[in-house]
Amino acid sequence: MDECFKALSNIHRRRLLIALLDHNPQRDNVDVPEDVHEREKSLEALQIDFNHVHLPSLEEAGFIRWNRDAGEVVKGPRFDEIRPLLELMRNHADELPDDWL
């Protein structure tokens, strides 16, 4: 459970995992969403974090498989372990704070 919450602790990872619920694989859509910015970081810096921190972290946990060469992310072997939390968040998005999803 701790690993699931760690994976969901970042908005970029949450959005990618929720996107995978309906669209597996994600092709050419592994970029930081433009509407998600951190005041201290530029979009370019966030993209570097995404490619060097967030995607590798999710892949290491087994929630995704990431083909860097093809720019493709698919559900990993442990995706079903995090699925109930993702579905809960997606199904109750209107009840959650705006910056959660």
Side-chain angles (χ1 to χ4, degrees):
M1 186 66 131
D2 290 342
E3 204 164 14
C4 290
F5 284 125
K6 181 179 177 184
L8 295 172
S9 69
N10 180 275
I11 192 167
H12 308 304
R13 294 191 298 255
R14 287 192 300 272
R15 286 184 174 185
L16 175 67
L17 290 167
I18 288 172
L20 284 172
L21 281 171
D22 299 320
H23 305 287
N24 186 38
Q26 291 290 303
R27 288 188 182 96
D28 301 325
N29 192 18
V30 291
D31 295 327
V32 174
E34 290 190 24
D35 62 336
V36 178
H37 293 276
E38 295 174 17
R39 292 183 193 160
E40 315 82 51
K41 294 184 178 181
S42 68
L43 188 57
E44 182 179 334
L46 288 171
Q47 186 65 54
I48 290 169
D49 284 350
F50 203 64
N51 290 325
H52 294 280
V53 176
H54 302 306
L55 290 173
S57 172
L58 291 173
E59 185 174 44
E60 184 178 317
F63 298 131
I64 67 166
R65 282 186 292 140
W66 177 31
N67 182 330
R68 291 160 181 83
D69 296 330
E72 180 178 82
V73 174
V74 297
K75 294 173 185 168
R78 294 185 59 212
F79 187 84
D80 284 339
E81 292 177 33
I82 202 167
R83 178 187 297 274
L85 292 170
L86 298 171
E87 289 174 344
L88 185 67
M89 291 174 69
R90 181 187 62 187
N91 294 341
H92 294 276
D94 59 333
E95 300 169 35
L96 299 173
D98 291 338
D99 61 348
W100 279 28
L101 302 176

